[in-house]
Amino acid sequence: MHFTLHPRLAADTTILGDLPLCRVLLSKEALGPWLILVPRKDNLTEIHHLPQDEQFQLMRESSAVAALLETDYQADKINVGALGNLVPQLHIHHIARFQSDIAWPGPVWGKTDGTQREDAVQQALAEELRAELATIDGFIPS
């Protein structure tokens, strides 16, 4: 199966690995942790374009990632969203939100200062998350 990650997603994230349907990415944005699920299907822009069984699989993977963020990071709220206005490739954001974060209580879109994690911090968080994601059935780390 051929799959190409949108260049903007590739530039703005670190690849953590793959679930049965989705590639799992960690945003470099210094907020969260902020994970992004991208179904490994080329030319896919909307959830409803997936066959029903893959829609269900996406929901299972999304729910597992949201539960992981909530439990492991004691987030005050998990924001989940699929906007796609700048990057048309279907991708679903999963953001651990905290009352202390820069955008609280509003949405993060356009409300952060664009600060990215330092490389060493990003890599340490990526390794931590790979270990946590390994508890989800079917996760293969990159």
Side-chain angles (χ1 to χ4, degrees):
M1 171 175 57
H2 181 273
F3 167 72
T4 303
L5 187 62
H6 188 280
R8 183 161 181 163
L9 287 173
D12 292 347
T13 66
T14 299
I15 298 172
L16 299 180
D18 290 329
L19 289 164
L21 177 64
C22 295
R23 176 131 315 144
V24 184
L25 310 173
L26 171 61
S27 174
K28 294 178 181 176
E29 179 90 26
L31 180 80
W34 181 333
L35 298 180
I36 302 169
L37 297 183
V38 184
R40 292 185 316 278
K41 303 276 185 175
D42 278 333
N43 304 313
L44 183 63
T45 58
E46 303 292 345
I47 293 170
H48 63 271
H49 294 166
L50 286 166
Q52 189 175 53
D53 62 324
E54 290 180 348
Q55 291 177 34
F56 293 152
Q57 182 62 32
L58 177 59
M59 184 56 66
R60 283 190 289 274
E61 293 178 15
S62 176
S63 295
V65 165
L68 180 149
L69 291 174
E70 179 182 44
T71 302
D72 292 0
Y73 294 93
Q74 290 81 49
D76 295 314
K77 180 72 176 117
I78 304 299
N79 288 178
V80 178
L83 285 80
N85 299 343
L86 293 176
V87 175
Q89 182 175 41
L90 178 60
H91 61 288
I92 300 90
H93 299 266
H94 296 72
I95 310 166
R97 298 293 308 276
F98 302 91
Q99 292 181 12
S100 61
D101 76 43
I102 191 170
W104 187 270
V108 298
W109 321 117
K111 304 293 184 191
T112 65
D113 60 10
T115 301
Q116 292 191 346
R117 289 184 200 90
E118 294 179 13
D119 288 343
V121 174
Q122 178 75 359
Q123 291 312 312
L125 182 56
E127 286 307 312
E128 179 180 305
L129 282 161
R130 282 185 188 105
E132 294 168 3
L133 287 161
T135 66
I136 299 174
D137 281 346
F139 179 71
I140 301 169
S142 63

